[in-house]
């Protein structure tokens, strides 16, 4: 059978299996084993255990559970509420300071936790009722938090970037740096739209400022500064050559646990058990997907599907930007239905050779891919962040939340266009700090 036709059949069967309700990892194993059995025979299955466990035989993978523990220890405390309150007190004199403080809190908490749903839950519980109480439109209140929560997979440290780095054998330090400037760009675009939509509503009182004393502003800082210092320390250790990402993540996780125990009295064994239990579940899920995706990639390569697709793309006489548009459409559609980790691990083996042969930077592409995944987090039918917001504020309809988040989707599309026009937004900082990539 022609490898391209076989590839189309594999794609259809993978979609059907994943839509059946089985887990992503198990679905990939079923598809991989089934096609290898049919086309390569029973003996081909003998290599699958070796490939499965071989994908997990990497020291770099240790950074994933460590960063997850780091984020879980923060998400299980009042750190999000304190961060939101601190920004509100310090930005209260800024016109529209409340919506700015919400988005700023989302960006900072996303950087600390690395989890979009956790960011939505932590900041939304405080921010949405406060914005609605002051008369902000429901769409702005819910949409800004839903969109702000997506920043967790872009602003470092990001588990999604780690997975991409492992899947493509790309420097994780470079990927983290590449996400900084685009992350700030998205925050600015989100803030600009939020202020415009608030001003457009015609209620001038929304932009009115409150009042806090200097004592009230400074008394909240001891609760949030230690966590921010850990994030800064983690990034400095990685980029200063002090430690590897895995070593840095381990120290960061330990420090976050210690600070959570000291500041928020998270010392009870049951509370610590919940943090470690939830972190283990999420880590195992991600690692299981990584191992299963390795088997899936082996199946695609063994049946010459990956090579044939790359060769076919190479023979197409199309502009490379037309190719990039097609890749973005594919990523958007995939992100609507699958979690970011699954999309990266399934698509990276196929897309990376195509991207590099077309002359695109793999570091730059990682940022574009991640923003596409962010769009999937606030777009139906899955749209995980939309349902988290609906759970926090059930009296706001899902339709209102969706309509409120759509302008932020447009902001992300604008960010992708700007990255295409000015790729230095993503590549300038990594090249400045770590030198040009070879």
């Amino acid at each position: 059978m022609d490898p391209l036709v076989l590839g189309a059949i594999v794609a259809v069967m993978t979609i059907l299996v994943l839509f059946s309700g089985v887990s992503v990892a198990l679905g990939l194993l079923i598809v991989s084993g089934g096609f290898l059995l049919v086309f390569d025979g029973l003996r081909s299955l003998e290599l699958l255990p070796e490939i499965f466990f071989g994908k997990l035989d990497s020291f770099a993978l240790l950074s994933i559970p460590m960063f997850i523990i780091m984020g879980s220890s923060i998400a299980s405390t009042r750190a999000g509420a304190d961060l939101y309150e601190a920004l509100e007190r310090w930005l209260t004199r800024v016109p529209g300071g409340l919506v700015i403080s919400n988005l700023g809190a989302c960006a900072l908490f996303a950087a600390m936790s690395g989890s979009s749903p956790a960011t939505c839950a932590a900041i939304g519980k405080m921010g949405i009722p406060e914005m609605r109480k002051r008369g902000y439109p429901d769409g702005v209140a819910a949409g800004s938090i839903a969109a702000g929560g997506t920043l967790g997979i872009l602003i470092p440290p990001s588990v999604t970037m780690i997975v991409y780095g492992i899947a493509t054998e790309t420097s994780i330090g470079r990927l983290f740096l590449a996400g900084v400037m685009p992350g700030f760009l998205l925050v600015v675009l989100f803030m600009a739209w939020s202020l415009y939509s608030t001003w457009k509503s015609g209620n001038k009182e929304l932009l009115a400022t409150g009042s806090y004393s200097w004592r009230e502003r400074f008394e909240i800082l001891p609760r949030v500064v230690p966590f921010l210092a850990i994030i800064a320390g983690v990034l400095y250790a990685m980029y200063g050559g002090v430690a590897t990402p895995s070593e840095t993540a381990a120290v960061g996780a330990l420090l976050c646990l210690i600070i959570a125990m000291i500041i928020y009295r998270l010392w009870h064994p049951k509370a610590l058990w919940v943090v470690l239990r939830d972190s283990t579940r999420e880590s195992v899920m991600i690692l299981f997907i990584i191992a299963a995706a390795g088997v899936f990639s082996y199946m695609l390569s063994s049946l010459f599907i990956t090579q044939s697709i790359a060769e076919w793309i190479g023979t197409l006489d199309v502009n490379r930007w037309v190719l990039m548009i097609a890749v973005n459409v594919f990523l958007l559609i995939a992100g609507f239905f699958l979690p970011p980790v699954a999309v990266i691990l399934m698509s990276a083996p196929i897309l990376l050779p195509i991207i590099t042969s077309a002359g695109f930077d793999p570091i730059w592409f990682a940022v574009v891919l991640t923003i596409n995944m962010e769009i999937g987090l606030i777009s139906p039918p899955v749209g995980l962040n939309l349902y988290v917001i609906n759970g926090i504020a059930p009296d706001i309809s899902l339709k209102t939340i969706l309509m409120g988040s759509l302008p932020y989707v447009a902001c992300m599309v604008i960010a992708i266009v700007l990255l295409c026009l000015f790729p230095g937004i993503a590549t300038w900082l990594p090249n400045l700090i770590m030198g040009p990539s070879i």
Side-chain angles (χ1 to χ4, degrees), residues 20-360:
S20 68
V22 301
S23 66
V24 173
L26 184 58
L28 293 177
L29 289 177
I30 292 172
V31 173
S32 303
F35 276 93
L36 285 173
L37 182 62
V38 171
F39 290 94
D40 275 357
L42 189 61
R43 293 192 62 182
S44 64
L45 300 182
E46 296 177 359
L47 291 173
L48 297 193
E50 181 179 348
I51 296 169
F52 183 89
F53 290 105
K55 292 299 293 184
L56 300 177
D57 186 18
S58 172
F59 185 72
L61 287 174
L62 288 175
S63 60
I64 293 177
M66 292 299 101
F67 276 125
I68 289 175
I69 291 175
M70 183 177 170
S72 182
S73 60
I74 295 172
S76 60
T77 65
R78 275 186 47 86
D82 287 341
L83 183 61
Y84 165 79
E85 193 173 335
L87 285 174
E88 182 189 6
R89 293 184 186 185
W90 280 90
L91 296 176
T92 186
R93 294 285 182 185
V94 179
L98 186 58
V99 70
I100 291 178
S101 63
N102 272 282
L103 287 166
C106 283
L108 291 174
F109 191 83
M112 292 192 294
S113 69
S115 170
S116 292
T119 301
C120 287
I123 306 301
K125 287 176 184 176
M126 293 284 293
I128 292 177
E130 192 66 27
M131 282 196 285
R132 297 179 74 190
K133 184 173 70 176
R134 298 193 189 182
Y136 281 80
D138 286 350
V140 173
S144 60
I145 300 294
T150 66
L151 296 168
I153 65 174
L154 179 61
I155 297 177
S158 164
V159 172
T160 304
M161 288 291 196
I162 295 173
V163 171
Y164 178 90
I166 293 170
T168 61
E169 298 182 355
T170 307
S171 167
I172 294 174
R174 253 180 211 284
L175 291 171
F176 279 4
L177 285 172
V180 173
M181 296 287 287
F184 287 148
L185 173 64
L186 279 179
V187 172
V188 170
L189 290 174
F190 289 171
M191 288 181 175
W193 167 255
S194 298
L195 290 177
Y196 170 75
S197 58
T198 301
W199 171 80
K200 189 179 178 182
S201 68
N203 189 348
K204 303 302 180 184
E205 294 181 359
L206 298 183
L207 298 178
T209 59
S211 178
Y212 288 97
S213 67
W214 285 105
R215 179 178 177 276
E216 290 174 320
R217 293 177 181 179
F218 279 105
E219 69 181 6
I220 193 70
L221 292 182
R223 287 182 172 269
V224 296
V225 168
F227 287 113
L228 299 180
I230 289 178
I231 298 298
V234 164
L235 298 179
Y236 171 78
M238 277 194 294
Y239 305 135
V242 178
T244 66
S246 299
E247 295 165 345
T248 305
V251 175
L254 178 61
L255 290 178
C256 280
L257 276 173
I258 292 174
I259 290 178
M261 293 170 67
I262 295 174
I263 296 180
Y264 295 100
R265 302 184 181 277
L266 191 73
W267 50 267
H268 196 280
K270 287 186 177 180
L272 290 174
W273 169 251
V274 170
V275 171
L276 297 176
R277 181 198 64 194
D278 293 346
S279 300
T280 301
R281 285 178 177 173
E282 187 174 350
S283 300
V284 170
M285 177 196 69
I286 293 175
L287 293 173
F288 193 13
I289 294 175
I290 289 174
V295 175
F296 187 75
S297 299
Y298 168 77
M299 179 270 294
L300 294 177
S301 179
S302 178
L303 300 181
F304 295 98
I305 295 174
T306 305
Q307 300 91 319
S308 299
I309 292 176
E311 184 179 346
W312 175 69
I313 294 292
T315 60
L316 293 177
D317 187 20
V318 295
N319 185 280
R320 70 179 192 140
W321 290 109
V322 174
L323 177 63
M324 179 53 65
I325 292 173
V327 169
N328 275 281
V329 171
F330 163 75
L331 292 173
L332 277 174
I333 295 174
F336 289 160
F337 300 98
L338 296 171
V341 171
V343 175
I344 290 171
L345 292 170
M346 291 172 60
S347 63
I350 297 176
L351 294 180
L352 193 64
I354 298 172
I355 293 301
T356 53
S357 63
F360 291 106

Side-chain angles (χ1 to χ4, degrees), residues 5-19 31 35 296:
V5 176
L6 181 58
I9 296 175
V10 169
V12 172
M13 289 303 299
T14 303
I15 293 172
L16 292 176
V17 170
L18 294 180
F19 277 13
V31 173
F35 276 93
F296 187 75

